[in-house]
Amino acid sequence: MNSIEMILDELRFISAHPKQQLEQYLAAGKKVVGCLPYYCPEELVAAAGMVPFGLWGAEIQVSEAKRYFPPFICSLLQTTLELGLKGEFDRLTAVMIPLLCDSLKGMEANWRYGVKNVPVITVAQAQNRKMQAGLTFTISQYRKIKKQLEELSRRPITDQAIAEAVKSYNEQRRVMRKFLAAAGKHPELISFSDRNAVVKSSYFMDAAAHTVKVRELAELLEQAAESSWQGPKVVVSGITADYRGLIKIFNDCKLAVVDDQLTQGSLRFRLDVPLTADPLVGMAEQIGKIEGCPVLFDPGKQRGHMLIHLVKQSDAQGVIFVQTKFCDPEEFDYVPLKSMLEKEGIPSLLIEADKQAANYEQARTAVETFCEILS
Amino acid sequence: MAEVNKRDIKPAKIRLKEIADKATQDAWEAKNRGEKIGWCASNFPQEIPTTLGIHVVYPENQGAAIGAKGGGQRMCEYAEGLGYSSDICSYARINFAYTDLKECPELNIPQPDFLLCCNNICNCMLKWYENLAFQLDIPLLLIDIPRLDAYECDQDRIDYIRAQFDYCIGRLEEISGKKWDEDRFKEVMAISQRSSKAWLKAVDYMKYTPSPFSGFDIFNNMAVACVARGRLEGAEAFEQLAREYEENIKNGTSTFKVKEEYRVLFEGIACWAHLSYTFKTLRNFGINVTSTIYGPAFSFLYQNLDELMAAYAYVPNCNVFEREVELRVKDAIKNKVEGAIIHMNRSCKKWSGNLYELERQLREQAGIPAVMFDGDQSDPRVFSEAQYLTRVQGLVEIMAANKGQKEEQSCE
């Protein structure tokens, strides 16, 4: 086993066993705060001496959550709530629930009524995120969250602690950008499955510890001999592509994901938080600048322009939209984005995915056909 | 003389319909004169376009009208042909179809020069209007109202809404060439208050037993509360509506034409494509709707600018859940409802996302039985007559048993 394989193995394990990771934190006496999608201010949790822990659902079947959600709410939230209702998160100090889509707005009350012993911190961010008033609003909400975290951690959160957390997260972002770029150039070494594992493990690990592993991995990849990959190359776009059945198809088809525009993926790392005198200002500014995300207000459909740029920059031949079933922000975006790609002559494929899906055979046929078209 | 006048006055419901129709007609005329007109979200602060004298039309109302007139399925299927998922709100799908077709036999509205969006009711509005702005390449002005995180709207939200309110005024002045007039603004606010108070007064008469009107009337009349709340004729028509209901109470009459056997809360948007069936099924059992969220919550009461901003954060679906529950429970108790019929609206993830818990809270806090049915605001394919009928029958059985028990207890 070479070094790349050893690091990957560790991150693969963590990404596949978040519960074990959580148990370790709790056993070490750490307080852990669950962070639902999207853009929770994790730096504040870290600055409070607590551990932010990503809650993006799981590939399980839902039964208890059906008492709270109708079937047409996305499986990210259904399965997260299911785990909460079954007591899997009982030892979390709190969960952060943003309000960036309609289903999340419902999640907040359902969690409070269903999982009574894990308090909710509501995360409200401005959608008019580029205007000063929007920034001011987001800062005000972060201030409110900071106070709640201080109460939960029973210690003050200093600006210096936040600035340190920001620096640590920025370093993770920088290193992850390096890794993702290198991974895109070496599909023969980093499959989509591994790319996903490296990203996903970042949600379950301390930022600094994750950075150490990924830094080494990125350096090893940069030293690797130039790839002679001949297979199809694509950019993947959507909220998440963390679906085992689908990832297996990508691997089976020898499909290289040379870049991504996934909210759970590269969008988490693309922009640093600017270092500002009041660190909350920088954190709000970052949200104002993120592009390519279906749940952030995007009147000019910059997401489409960015996607075209990513395809051209990474020398990809096409785009695969991985659309999480019942995610209406993605469903709205798909039509204009598809037409933007068509105007550029970029082929695209839409695949619907679901955490509860047991069978992806239809997707397999579609991906296989798409690969044939691309090659 | 008085009798002649009485005969000449049109019933309020006719006046209200004419006002709604005229608002669309006015927008057409403005468009034909070369003025810039907009498409507007139903809960966008109407005080802004009304004060500026800018004409807007409401795609959500168009979606409801097309649904009610039988065009919902055709338009939804057309939008699905454009690539839109059937999971998306049917109002949005209908509007996307209309934007592409630019014509609809059920109801035409003029094409927009700008868009006024507000996401206080749902974030779906945000994506819907984003797509319109992109497709039509026209300005999109958003007033973002993040869902409340506490019972009261905080000052941070008020300040944020106020800043966006002011920004919108400036941008609309540039777009339309019209000037903001503070005196006119005060006048519009005063008229809007008058309309809101009259609307509240009218719907409050549902507390009488029997109710002086059929609850389904609200679904039709509320359109004006949306499109012409800031117009004097709107205020006057609502005042007339309240007077008519008072008259009904005095005379022991009602627009609900059969004996009111049961009184229920109806939760959710109407199934416009099945309005007649959903209404007649209830009527056949003598069930009148005497509580809907459109009663207490679709008014915008304020005394000053801060309260105006907050009023737009207190609309249904923007409140914290406890406030949503309280609005319904208070209204249900005041209006003496005996059961609840809950519409699990396939179009609306925000509204539907907490309905199971809402049902439990209604049972617990208002002490009423509740049934739920599947439907959609404007896509007729989701609704099943048989399911609706069975659920209503089930509710009637429980309400009848409860009535029997109460009667027995009162005899003991």
Side-chain angles (χ1 to χ4, degrees):
Chain A
M1 193 184 274
N2 63 30
S3 301
I4 289 181
E5 209 36 42
M6 278 166 67
I7 300 167
L8 283 177
D9 227 30
E10 194 177 339
L11 297 181
R12 280 176 198 139
F13 184 85
I14 290 170
S15 72
H17 300 86
K19 193 177 175 183
Q20 205 158 315
Q21 193 73 3
L22 178 60
E23 290 296 335
Q24 279 178 23
Y25 285 126
L26 294 169
K30 293 272 188 188
K31 288 186 172 175
V32 182
V33 174
C35 295
L36 272 80
Y38 310 91
Y39 309 111
C40 283
E42 291 182 31
E43 289 89 340
L44 294 183
V45 180
M50 300 194 282
V51 179
F53 202 83
L55 302 181
W56 284 66
E59 297 197 50
I60 55 168
Q61 295 303 307
V62 160
S63 58
E64 294 296 305
K66 287 179 184 168
R67 292 191 290 119
Y68 290 87
F69 274 136
F72 51 87
I73 299 294
C74 80
S75 56
L76 266 62
L77 299 188
Q78 298 261 16
T79 57
T80 302
L81 184 61
E82 179 77 11
L83 292 171
L85 292 167
K86 286 185 168 160
E88 294 285 333
F89 301 134
D90 274 1
R91 288 186 292 157
L92 293 183
T93 300
V95 291
M96 283 191 181
I97 304 184
L99 301 173
L100 286 169
C101 76
D102 289 330
S103 301
L104 276 168
K105 292 178 188 173
M107 180 73 167
E108 187 266 339
N110 285 341
W111 185 282
R112 282 195 287 113
Y113 282 77
V115 194
K116 293 196 169 88
N117 49 344
V118 184
V120 171
I121 298 172
T122 307
V123 182
Q125 289 133 328
Q127 286 285 9
N128 255 327
R129 59 206 172 95
K130 293 181 192 293
M131 64 163 63
Q132 185 53 49
L135 288 174
T136 305
F137 175 74
T138 302
I139 294 163
S140 73
Q141 300 307 294
Y142 284 175
R143 229 175 277 294
K144 211 187 265 186
I145 292 166
K146 182 182 150 199
K147 203 171 160 218
Q148 288 170 282
L149 289 169
E150 284 176 329
E151 283 163 13
L152 289 166
S153 65
R154 296 194 186 128
R155 62 186 248 189
I157 302 175
T158 63
D159 279 359
Q160 196 191 340
I162 303 172
E164 276 166 22
V166 166
K167 279 182 198 159
S168 171
Y169 272 82
N170 278 351
E171 178 59 8
Q172 184 189 34
R173 292 180 181 110
R174 190 186 68 78
V175 167
M176 276 300 291
R177 287 196 293 269
K178 214 169 142 183
F179 162 74
L180 291 168
K185 287 185 182 124
H186 289 286
E188 80 288 2
L189 296 174
I190 304 290
S191 65
F192 182 62
S193 170
D194 286 337
R195 183 184 174 100
N196 183 60
V198 174
V199 166
K200 197 175 167 185
S201 57
S202 77
Y203 287 88
F204 310 136
M205 289 177 76
D206 168 69
H210 185 256
T211 305
V212 170
K213 303 283 172 201
V214 181
R215 185 184 293 120
E216 199 182 338
L217 189 57
E219 282 165 7
L220 288 166
L221 286 175
E222 282 174 349
Q223 290 160 18
E226 200 172 324
S227 170
S228 55
W229 185 265
Q230 296 297 316
K233 294 178 183 175
V234 296
V235 173
V236 172
S237 180
I239 291 285
T240 175
D242 181 33
Y243 299 97
R244 273 199 307 267
L246 191 59
I247 289 170
K248 184 171 185 315
I249 295 168
F250 284 11
N251 286 357
D252 291 348
C253 292
K254 303 216 178 316
L255 185 72
V257 175
V258 289
D259 207 343
D260 79 76
Q261 192 190 42
L262 297 167
T263 305
Q264 192 186 16
S266 72
L267 294 190
R268 174 167 159 82
F269 308 105
R270 280 188 188 269
L271 287 178
D272 281 358
V273 169
L275 295 167
T276 45
D278 176 352
L280 300 186
V281 174
M283 289 172 65
E285 282 177 1
Q286 188 221 24
I287 293 285
K289 286 178 184 158
I290 293 173
E291 299 297 353
C293 178
V295 298
L296 295 176
F297 184 47
D298 180 16
K301 293 290 174 196
Q302 291 309 315
R303 187 179 164 205
H305 297 297
M306 177 183 169
L307 193 51
I308 291 164
H309 173 72
L310 293 182
V311 169
K312 289 182 177 172
Q313 184 185 255
S314 62
D315 210 16
Q317 294 146 312
V319 168
I320 296 185
F321 291 101
V322 179
Q323 197 174 83
T324 295
K325 200 169 168 63
F326 303 126
C327 175
D328 53 339
E330 289 194 77
E331 292 161 354
F332 273 104
D333 270 357
Y334 172 66
V335 177
L337 262 60
K338 185 174 187 290
S339 82
M340 290 168 88
L341 292 174
E342 276 170 0
K343 277 183 194 149
E344 295 287 329
I346 300 169
S348 68
L349 171 69
L350 173 70
I351 295 174
E352 221 177 34
D354 189 311
K355 293 281 183 195
Q356 295 186 80
N359 189 320
Y360 278 95
E361 285 316 299
Q362 207 175 343
R364 178 179 292 278
T365 313
V367 173
E368 283 170 355
T369 310
F370 191 59
C371 287
E372 278 171 29
I373 293 168
L374 296 185
S375 49
Chain B
M1 188 65 193
E3 279 179 13
V4 172
N5 275 344
K6 204 173 172 182
R7 270 205 307 272
D8 281 351
I9 292 175
K10 290 173 186 167
K13 70 171 186 182
I14 304 289
R15 279 181 77 182
L16 287 164
K17 188 180 177 312
E18 285 177 355
I19 290 166
D21 292 346
K22 188 170 180 305
T24 309
Q25 191 53 40
D26 288 349
W28 273 111
E29 286 167 13
K31 180 84 182 175
N32 293 336
R33 283 195 301 272
E35 288 181 29
K36 306 279 189 197
I37 72 109
W39 282 2
C40 186
S42 63
N43 281 266
F44 184 91
Q46 56 81 28
E47 287 81 357
I48 297 176
T50 310
T51 299
L52 281 165
I54 292 174
H55 294 276
V56 294
V57 287
Y58 295 84
E60 290 155 79
N61 289 10
Q62 188 204 23
I66 290 172
K69 290 176 182 176
Q73 182 168 341
R74 187 188 73 252
M75 296 294 270
C76 283
E77 284 174 349
Y78 184 89
E80 288 155 24
L82 296 173
Y84 286 105
S85 167
S86 59
D87 180 49
I88 286 176
C89 162
S90 55
Y91 287 172
R93 272 180 286 150
I94 288 172
N95 187 242
F96 288 142
Y98 183 74
T99 305
D100 201 59
L101 292 164
K102 307 207 184 308
E103 189 147 13
C104 177
E106 286 82 10
L107 179 62
N108 284 317
I109 56 173
Q111 291 296 314
D113 301 293
F114 59 88
L115 301 160
L116 302 180
C117 181
C118 186
N119 60 343
N120 45 4
I121 50 168
C122 62
N123 269 15
C124 169
M125 297 300 307
L126 209 66
K127 300 304 294 183
W128 172 359
Y129 276 56
E130 261 183 25
N131 281 23
L132 290 176
F134 177 76
Q135 189 182 339
L136 300 169
D137 194 21
I138 55 176
L140 162 55
L141 303 179
L142 165 69
I143 292 191
D144 168 37
I145 304 187
R147 207 216 64 185
L148 298 188
D149 61 355
Y151 188 86
E152 300 290 342
C153 181
D154 56 4
Q155 192 61 40
D156 300 324
R157 280 174 172 75
I158 289 171
D159 294 344
Y160 177 39
I161 301 166
R162 177 71 197 274
Q164 297 173 89
F165 194 92
D166 292 343
Y167 175 78
C168 275
I169 292 169
R171 283 288 289 123
L172 277 173
E173 282 184 329
E174 288 167 14
I175 291 167
S176 68
K178 294 183 176 179
K179 283 283 158 216
W180 183 259
D181 179 333
E182 279 297 322
D183 290 335
R184 174 68 184 141
F185 180 42
K186 282 177 191 150
E187 195 183 0
V188 168
M189 287 195 289
I191 295 169
S192 304
Q193 293 306 283
R194 194 174 145 190
S195 290
S196 292
K197 284 175 187 163
W199 168 252
L200 272 182
K201 188 177 177 188
V203 296
D204 191 51
Y205 288 130
M206 283 195 287
K207 69 187 174 194
Y208 284 88
T209 309
S211 168
F213 63 97
S214 164
F216 268 58
D217 290 356
I218 289 177
F219 291 134
N220 295 322
N221 295 336
M222 56 175 270
V224 170
C226 170
V227 305
R229 202 164 58 244
R231 292 185 182 204
L232 190 58
E233 59 270 32
E236 287 171 351
F238 281 134
E239 285 163 356
Q240 185 186 329
L241 187 70
R243 285 196 299 276
E244 286 178 7
Y245 291 162
E246 280 165 33
E247 202 61 25
N248 285 355
I249 294 164
K250 271 189 220 155
N251 301 333
T253 54
S254 174
T255 64
F256 189 66
K257 295 296 182 194
V258 300
K259 190 182 173 211
E260 189 179 272
E261 299 281 357
Y262 302 103
R263 299 160 65 83
V264 299
L265 176 151
F266 188 95
E267 176 64 31
I269 301 174
C271 292
W272 295 110
H274 299 282
L275 197 62
S276 171
Y277 181 83
T278 46
F279 169 65
K280 283 177 185 165
T281 303
L282 298 188
R283 193 190 58 189
N284 290 345
F285 286 104
I287 299 172
N288 192 13
V289 171
T290 61
S291 178
T292 90
I293 194 65
Y294 295 114
F298 255 73
S299 56
F300 296 82
L301 296 176
Y302 46 81
Q303 300 289 331
N304 55 50
L305 279 182
D306 272 6
E307 286 182 14
L308 186 159
M309 305 305 152
Y312 281 94
Y314 290 135
V315 301
N317 290 339
C318 198
N319 292 302
V320 75
F321 181 67
E322 285 69 16
R323 195 177 181 116
E324 298 281 1
V325 172
E326 186 189 83
L327 279 166
R328 285 147 175 99
V329 168
K330 274 189 177 168
D331 203 58
I333 292 171
K334 173 173 70 76
N335 295 349
K336 300 182 278 291
V337 309
E338 299 157 273
I341 298 173
I342 299 173
H343 174 197
M344 180 60 81
N345 182 356
R346 185 64 188 74
S347 265
C348 188
K349 290 189 168 64
K350 174 62 201 80
W351 207 319
S352 300
N354 293 127
L355 279 183
Y356 293 137
E357 188 56 39
L358 180 72
E359 181 189 13
R360 287 189 281 273
Q361 295 299 322
L362 281 173
R363 286 174 191 271
E364 199 175 303
Q365 294 189 37
I368 52 170
V371 291
M372 204 173 276
F373 71 97
D374 298 307
D376 188 276
Q377 53 205 36
S378 272
D379 186 340
R381 295 169 290 182
V382 182
F383 178 82
S384 150
E385 289 186 354
Q387 189 210 45
Y388 182 75
L389 177 61
T390 314
R391 301 284 158 91
V392 172
Q393 280 170 333
L395 184 67
V396 168
E397 281 176 26
I398 303 167
M399 291 194 297
N402 288 348
K403 246 189 185 33
Q405 259 180 4
K406 271 187 196 161
E407 279 165 15
E408 273 176 31
Q409 283 165 358
S410 64
C411 292
E412 282 168 5

